[in-house]
Amino acid sequence: MRPNSLALALLGIVAFPNDGHAIGQPRYVANTPSPGSFPVAHGKAAAIVYVDSNDYPGVVRAANDLRADVARVTNCTPSLATSETALRSSTILIGTIGKSSLLDKLIREGKLDTSQIAGKWESFLIQVVPKPLPGMPSALVIAGSDKRGTIYGIYDLSEQIGVSPWYWWADVPVRHNDAVYVKAGKYVEGPPAVKYRGIFLNDEAPALTGWVKEKFGNYNHQFYEKVFELILRMKGNYLWPAMWGNAFNEDDPENPKLADEWGIVMGTSHHEPMLRAQQEWKRHGEGPWDYTRNANFLRAFWADGVRRNKDYESIVTIGMRGDGDMPMARGDANVALLEQIVADQRKIIAEQVNPNVAAVPQIWALYKEVQEYYEKGMRVPDDVTLLWSDDNWGNIRRLPAGEERKRTGGAGIYYHFDYVGGPRNYKWINTNPIPKVWEQMTLAWQYGADRIWIVNVGDLKPMEFPTEFFLHLAWNPQRWPKERIAEYTKLWAEREFGP
């Protein structure tokens, strides 16, 4: 992927100094007008926010977040329009290519060139477009190549006007401005360097769990909506949910439905195959968690999991570890057994989700002893992503080499900012400094482990800083060479706490 500064230079766009609002990105928002700029808000009035009612529900929802963000900054709440007849001179036009009739009309008429993002993964452009409609001097267009591309464009503008992704989770104050303008020009982002970029809420009891039960009652959709929004504001798209005492899909049926609507790709951890939480086995399992003795029940249990989630965007974990995140207990025989388990799981996926099983995203997590099975010769089908891991202490154990880099399923990384296990736990303390994170994850990217990056963030709250760095690095590693690591720390601190 081309560095953003180079892309902007080729487009003839000036890269403005960063003031800490949008970390490391060219600044396209100002508080005073300039030639050709668009007024998001000024004179105690805000531009209309337009989004086609036929666009993705997650896009419409995020458009309302933008309205709330403009109000947080300016005390002026934009009105919402879903039909062209309600538009007037100052309009923010939000749309996904192919889902917004007005956006598609501007493209057909040659008033908007989306060739840089069309057909690409999670890409967007933000542009002031002159005379888009009769009687309208200009409009601010936020156009996305797909659902998340549009959502990222919306939240990109929110961050540029001064709303931190952590405004709710860390009570980051929003600085007031009477006026907000977007400068003339075209700003393009995407596609991301890593396809799936996410976090794992883990080791969550007692701290996060106690707080969630006090504030929300349980790990329900009211809680997870806050998590979904945070991930999307940081341009992430993937989540392994809290699982020590909870089951995401069962605890609240709205959880998976809303995750898909919002645009979050769901998965389960390295030892929870086929989209079923460990707690679901504790609640419904019969007989031992042992495929040699209980295969029929396990197959039925797994079939229920993938069938339940077949209409939602998910990544299916395949394979099997011992119950409770432990190794299986049969030594060398595990290789042949695991190969049979994977073959049976893929047969279930083909029967319950898609006969073209290669079209269903799947991962095999090479975590702890499972990597030893790979080194003994075990293999999975080429379309399955190999999820390599660190050693639980931030040192990646192995990366794809040679022919492994040609696999259609690619490779990913499961990383840790928090760990509970032998020989020692570490919770609630940021023990992996970002220079180390940069070194390890940049190496992973250079070696082609760019399909999935997911990081164990523990209780989330103590890990705001490294979590956002991890996701920013996954979005565009070229924006953050080693020389800019200290700058990232400074910019992040300025955005959250002020200069």
Side-chain angles (χ1 to χ4, degrees), residues 48-259:
I48 291 175
V49 170
Y50 169 85
V51 61
D52 194 317
S53 58
N54 293 316
D55 213 319
Y56 295 100
V59 169
V60 177
R61 187 208 56 75
N64 281 298
D65 279 354
L66 177 62
R67 296 173 62 220
D69 290 341
V70 172
R72 289 183 178 102
V73 174
T74 67
N75 293 331
C76 300
T77 303
S79 59
L80 180 70
T82 56
S83 67
E84 294 182 38
T85 57
L87 300 182
R88 60 173 189 261
S89 57
S90 295
T91 299
I92 302 172
L93 167 58
I94 295 170
T96 309
I97 296 172
K99 294 287 286 185
S100 170
S101 59
L102 181 51
L103 181 72
D104 292 345
K105 177 183 175 182
L106 296 183
I107 296 169
R108 284 195 309 271
E109 293 176 351
K111 295 177 179 178
L112 180 67
D113 179 7
T114 58
S115 59
Q116 290 174 280
I117 65 168
K120 295 182 179 178
W121 179 259
E122 297 181 347
S123 302
F124 66 88
L125 66 81
I126 295 175
Q127 182 178 353
V128 179
V129 177
K131 299 179 180 179
L133 296 172
M136 186 180 291
S138 67
L140 177 63
V141 174
I142 302 175
S145 62
D146 54 21
K147 174 170 64 177
R148 280 188 292 272
T150 310
I151 292 169
Y152 294 150
I154 292 167
Y155 285 138
D156 199 87
L157 178 59
S158 290
E159 187 182 359
Q160 289 262 350
I161 69 175
V163 180
S164 166
W166 299 95
Y167 78 96
W168 189 85
W169 281 95
D171 301 310
V172 178
V174 178
R175 187 175 67 188
H176 175 82
N177 280 297
D178 289 328
V180 174
Y181 298 87
V182 172
K183 300 178 181 184
K186 186 176 187 179
Y187 177 75
V188 180
E189 282 276 322
V194 177
K195 187 171 185 178
Y196 297 105
R197 310 162 305 282
I199 63 173
F200 179 20
L201 298 179
N202 194 217
D203 312 330
E204 63 270 18
L208 181 62
T209 297
W211 178 82
V212 166
K213 288 183 176 179
E214 177 188 341
K215 302 298 182 184
F216 297 94
N218 198 1
Y219 283 94
N220 53 33
H221 72 274
Q222 289 93 345
F223 165 76
Y224 273 112
E225 284 177 339
K226 298 297 186 183
V227 178
F228 300 158
E229 180 186 341
L230 175 68
I231 291 171
L232 292 169
R233 283 182 182 265
M234 295 188 292
K235 296 187 177 70
N237 61 9
Y238 185 41
L239 175 65
W240 288 355
M243 46 69 66
W244 265 21
N246 291 87
F248 179 83
N249 293 289
E250 281 195 353
D251 292 345
D252 184 347
E254 289 293 296
N255 282 345
K257 176 179 177 292
L258 290 175

Side-chain angles (χ1 to χ4, degrees), residues 415 417 430-439 465-466 469 485:
Y415 202 73
F417 293 155
N430 176 18
T431 58
N432 282 321
I434 67 167
K436 179 177 183 177
V437 176
W438 175 89
E439 188 259 352
F465 174 54
F469 178 75
I485 296 174

Side-chain angles (χ1 to χ4, degrees), residues 327-339 364 366 368-380 388 397-398 404:
M328 293 169 66
R330 292 179 176 270
D332 291 342
N334 284 340
V335 170
L337 176 60
L338 269 172
E339 287 176 340
W364 182 37
L366 303 175
K368 289 191 174 179
E369 81 287 344
V370 181
Q371 183 177 322
E372 298 172 16
Y373 305 150
Y374 183 89
E375 290 165 351
K376 290 176 180 178
M378 180 180 168
R379 293 295 181 266
V380 294
W388 302 96
R397 297 171 68 194
R398 189 183 179 295
E404 291 170 341

